[in-house]
Each structure stands twice: as C-alpha cells, then as structure tokens.
C-alpha cells in the first residue's frame, strides 16, 4: 500500500520543526504517493516554515503556560479544550495511519486525540532532558525515538529506541579543505580559526562575549568567523577586519565547519547532533533561558564523555580566556575532543526513525 496518510506535529522552535520536516521528507521519499498533514500552533513559526517546506499545515489555538500569573495563563484551559476539540476533528477527517510528534505545545492535543482514536503514535525527543509535552504523551505512545542514553528516567524503557536526531547531512559532509574554506571567507589558511555560532537570530550573551574578547583573540593569533545573527548584525558589523568576519547568517555551513579549528556554540539539540558529525573540538555555552534548561543538560551529556567543553554564561568572564587558551595550545586536547564527539554522531537518524514508523504500518 502506497497511499498512507501521515500526520505530524512539532513546533514553536526550529528545534521541533526541522526534525518533523526531515521525517516527512524521508517518508515521502519511501512513499511518494502518501498524504501528509502537519498540525501546529497558530501564530508560531511552523505556520510559515512548514508550507515553505512544501507541506500543508493546520493551526491550533494553543500556547504554553507562562512562569508568572498572566492573562495568558488564565486562558490556557480554554485554549486546551478548544485545541483538543479541533485536533479530534482533524484526526477524524484526515484518518492518519500514523501520528508523529516532535515536541512543542501543539503536538500534545494532536497526539492525544490520535491515540484516543486508535492511531499508532511515535514521539521524537531531541534533548537529553525531555520536554514536558513528550513526557505527558509518553504513556500512550507506541515508540519513543531518542538521541541520548539514560532517557528511561523520563519514558517507559520498553518504548525507547535510540536513533539520534535528524541531521542536515548536506551541511556537514565536509568535502572542502581548510585552504578552500578559509579562502571563501577571505581568511588566512595558516592561522587558527574560531567559528562562533549563536543561531540564526543570534545569542546576545555570546555576542557580548566575543566583542569583549576580540583583543584576546588577536593576542592569541586567532582569526574569528563570527555568526552574530540577523538581530545583531547592524550592531557588530563594525568589527569586520582581515581577521574577524562578521556574518548575520552563514549560507555555506559546510565551508564554515571546514575552516574551523575550534567551534563555540549554543547547545540546542540540532546543533549538538550536527557538531557530533562534524567532529571538531567544541566549547558549548548553553542558553539558560530555555525550557527545563535543556541546553545545559545536552552539553553535560557530551562533557561526561570527554567530548566537549562547557562554560556557563555566569562563568564566562572568569573562565573563558583560560579555557580557550588551554584548548588552543593543546593539540592533544583538541584531538581528544574531536575524536570523542565524532563517536557520538548518529548520521542515519532520520532513516532509523522512519524504519520504526514503517514497523507500525505493518
């Protein structure tokens, strides 16, 4: 049978949206005549990103609970009931063969209604500290695909399959040499290059750090490829020089990775999985402003295996210079970190997740 119907939900952030789209793409590759429907939260970025990827999406009136008492919190029960009713209607009309959730608030009502209608459900959890929606859905899910060990503290052990996170393999199959890559960014092939990644929008605290440490980088003889994010490019482009390249966005991540000797990055699940495949020494500066502080937990999982260095935002002023200079001056440490992070790569994650979905179809 080739006319399968798949319903997917994941959103709020790119970290939930991208895995859902990657899974859909692999399902579409295997089942070209299949039908797909995404369900997201109205006014969230999935309502734009999913159609751009070529898929239909329907929106639910749902949002998260704020940490302080607000009018939005008082509206939450009404939104939840409305979303459950709408999700039940969507499931009844679409009649999916499998429902797939990758996290985010909209996936809660959608998968709850799919499960109650007898539809097999698959969860995909990107982080080492499970999100609240997936934790609530875990009891009724058929399979839970994870990227880290030790996830039985959140989910029923018998449902867990370690697959890894979907990866943009086209970005990290590094074919170019460092010479070609540094030439692309107009950098010096003979100098050590530090790649700074703060995400597409940018990370304020990391940008503040790099601005403060530019003299230190110069003293160490380092050149900087600084992706500051589109929100901050106007503020920081004045620092552009022969040894400092300031970019709002990196269009050629494969070349950026090839040019880098050391990478400084946030620790979102997608970034971590991608950097495992790259296999270069990484200093993670996790964002403390995310749900359940999951970026810190992601970074800790690598630090525990001697696969990365982690610096908390509160410790940057005291520890950054010593940590980076020690890393840059220790070839052995660089090789150890690169070797160990590479061991954690799971490049076939998307295929393995879809393998598990296929088992439910049969």
């Amino acid at each position: 049978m080739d006319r399968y119907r798949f319903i997917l939900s994941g959103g709020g952030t790119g970290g939930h949206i991208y895995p859902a789209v990657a899974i859909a793409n692999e399902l579409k590759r295997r089942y070209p005549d299949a039908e797909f429907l995404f369900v997201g939260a109205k006014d969230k970025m999935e309502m734009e990103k999913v159609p751009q990827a070529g898929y239909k999406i329907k929106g639910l009136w749902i949002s998260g609970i704020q940490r302080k008492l607000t009018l939005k919190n008082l509206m939450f029960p009404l939104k939840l009931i409305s979303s459950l009713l709408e999700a039940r209607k969507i499931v009844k009309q679409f009649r999916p063969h499998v429902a797939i959730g990758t996290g985010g608030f909209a996936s809660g009502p959608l998968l709850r209604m799919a499960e109650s209608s007898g539809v097999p459900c698959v969860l995909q959890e990107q982080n080492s500290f499970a999100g609240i929606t997936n934790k609530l859905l875990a009891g009724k899910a058929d399979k839970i695909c994870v990227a880290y060990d030790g996830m039985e503290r959140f989910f029923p052990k018998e449902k867990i399959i370690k697959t890894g996170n979907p990866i943009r393999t086209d970005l990290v199959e590094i074919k170019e040499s460092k010479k070609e890559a540094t030439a692309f960014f107009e950098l010096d092939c003979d100098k050590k290059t530090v790649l700074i990644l703060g995400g597409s929008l940018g990370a304020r605290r990391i940008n503040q750090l790099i601005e403060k440490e530019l003299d230190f980088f110069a003293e160490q003889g380092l050149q900087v490829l600084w992706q500051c994010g589109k929100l901050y490019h106007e503020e920081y482009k004045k620092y552009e020089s022969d040894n400092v390249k300031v970019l709002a966005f990196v269009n050629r991540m494969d070349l950026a990775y090839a040019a880098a000797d050391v990478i400084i990055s946030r620790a979102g699940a997608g970034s971590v999985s991608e950097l495992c495949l790259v296999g270069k020494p990484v200093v993670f500066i996790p964002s403390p402003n995310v749900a359940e502080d999951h970026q810190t937990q992601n970074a800790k999982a690598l630090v525990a295996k001697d696969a990365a260095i982690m610096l908390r935002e509160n410790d940057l002023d005291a520890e950054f210079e010593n940590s980076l200079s020690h890393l840059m001056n220790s070839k052995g440490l660089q090789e150890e970190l690169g070797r160990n992070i590479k061991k954690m790569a799971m490049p076939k994650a998307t295929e393995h997740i879809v393998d598990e979905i296929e088992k439910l179809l049969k």
Side-chain angles (χ1 to χ4, degrees), residues 11 16 44 136 193 238 243 272 313 317 323 333 353:
H16 295 313
K44 293 295 184 180
L136 290 170
T193 304
K238 62 188 176 187
N243 293 317
V272 171
E313 284 194 355
D317 290 337
S323 295
L333 179 58
I353 292 165

Side-chain angles (χ1 to χ4, degrees), residues 221-275:
L222 303 173
Q223 56 191 0
V224 180
L225 186 54
W226 180 7
Q227 186 259 313
C228 65
K230 65 180 183 181
L231 294 181
Y232 301 101
H233 190 243
E234 284 299 313
E235 183 177 353
Y236 293 108
K237 66 181 183 181
K238 62 188 176 187
Y239 295 111
E240 179 86 17
S241 69
D242 288 346
N243 293 317
V244 179
K245 304 300 174 184
V246 185
L247 305 172
F249 185 77
V250 181
N251 289 316
R252 289 294 305 273
M253 280 305 304
D254 56 336
L255 290 168
Y257 287 139
D261 293 284
V262 167
I263 299 165
I264 296 171
S265 175
R266 284 300 201 199
S271 297
V272 171
S273 295
E274 205 166 275
L275 290 167

